[in-house]
Amino acid sequence: MAGHFEATPGGGAAVALDEVEIAILRSLAVQLLELIGPGDEPAEGEDPLAALFAEGPSEPPSDPALARLFPEAYGDDDTELRAASAEFRRFTENDLRTRKRDDALVVIRTLDALTPVGDDAAVLTLTADECRSWLGSLNDLRLTIGTRLEVSDEDGGEDGSLYRLPDSDPRKPMVMAYLWLGALQETLVETLMP
């Protein structure tokens, strides 16, 4: 189980994580929450149903990582498609942000419940619903890190220069995190397949 998820009865999954791995995953999830931003809670006295019908932004985010997490629905090749994307974004981005925040919070809360003992790894056991939240967050983390590292299709193969960085390269820790998150994501997907 060390380093990869294994299926558990009931559609869940488990993975052994040491103290450093827990700290890294938690830190990345907190940074993702900060990037996504706080949710819009209804003000005191405001009708909570009004918040359900609140419109979101119509322009794509300027931060490339956020633009990757909240992409254009229809592209931006012509005026008509830009207008359709803006309309789609106004009515979907708030809900998408809420889901991404909720997924990251599940990661943080499940990690906070772990207690490694000495040098022994703690076993993180997830329910089926928690697995889905973890998958969403692992994907969001990889998209964000990949955008920051400017990972392209050419870098994706084993021959990619990004994977052969010298230890002195300041990007090396993030590349290692990117690869590790990919391995976790892959094994979690495998546990959920019939």
Side-chain angles (χ1 to χ4, degrees), residues 82-159:
R82 278 194 300 277
S85 284
E87 188 75 4
F88 185 79
R89 181 179 300 281
R90 279 188 327 125
F91 294 109
T92 61
E93 187 170 313
N94 286 345
D95 288 340
L96 186 55
R97 281 182 185 267
T98 298
R99 195 195 85 230
K100 289 179 182 300
R101 269 192 299 276
D102 290 347
D103 288 348
L105 285 170
V106 167
V107 170
I108 293 167
R109 289 179 181 135
T110 55
L111 291 170
D112 285 350
L114 293 178
T115 310
V117 180
D119 290 338
D120 294 334
V123 176
L124 173 69
T125 304
L126 303 174
T127 65
D129 286 340
E130 290 169 336
C131 286
R132 285 186 283 281
S133 292
W134 266 76
L135 275 176
S137 275
L138 288 171
N139 187 61
D140 291 343
L141 288 169
R142 289 194 75 239
L143 288 173
T144 302
I145 293 170
T147 301
R148 295 287 190 240
L149 291 170
E150 297 178 350
V151 173
S152 66
D153 290 339
E154 294 80 40
D155 296 324
E158 289 180 19
D159 296 335

Side-chain angles (χ1 to χ4, degrees), residues 2-20:
H4 64 277
F5 279 96
E6 292 183 5
T8 60
V15 64
L17 299 169
D18 64 30
E19 202 171 336
V20 172

Side-chain angles (χ1 to χ4, degrees), residues 2 11 21 26 28 30 32 37 40 52 54 57 71 75 90 98 105 108 134 137 142 149 171-172 177:
E21 292 168 327
R26 189 182 192 289
L28 290 172
V30 167
L32 180 63
D40 294 328
L52 291 175
R90 279 188 327 125
T98 298
L105 285 170
I108 293 167
W134 266 76
S137 275
R142 289 194 75 239
L149 291 170
R171 299 172 295 167
K172 184 77 172 208

Side-chain angles (χ1 to χ4, degrees), residues 5-58:
F5 279 96
E6 292 183 5
T8 60
V15 64
L17 299 169
D18 64 30
E19 202 171 336
V20 172
E21 292 168 327
I22 293 168
I24 291 169
L25 283 167
R26 189 182 192 289
S27 174
L28 290 172
V30 167
Q31 290 176 55
L32 180 63
L33 277 174
E34 291 170 355
L35 178 66
I36 293 169
D40 294 328
E41 295 296 322
E44 190 173 322
E46 183 182 355
D47 180 7
L49 288 176
L52 291 175
F53 298 103
E55 293 181 5
S58 59

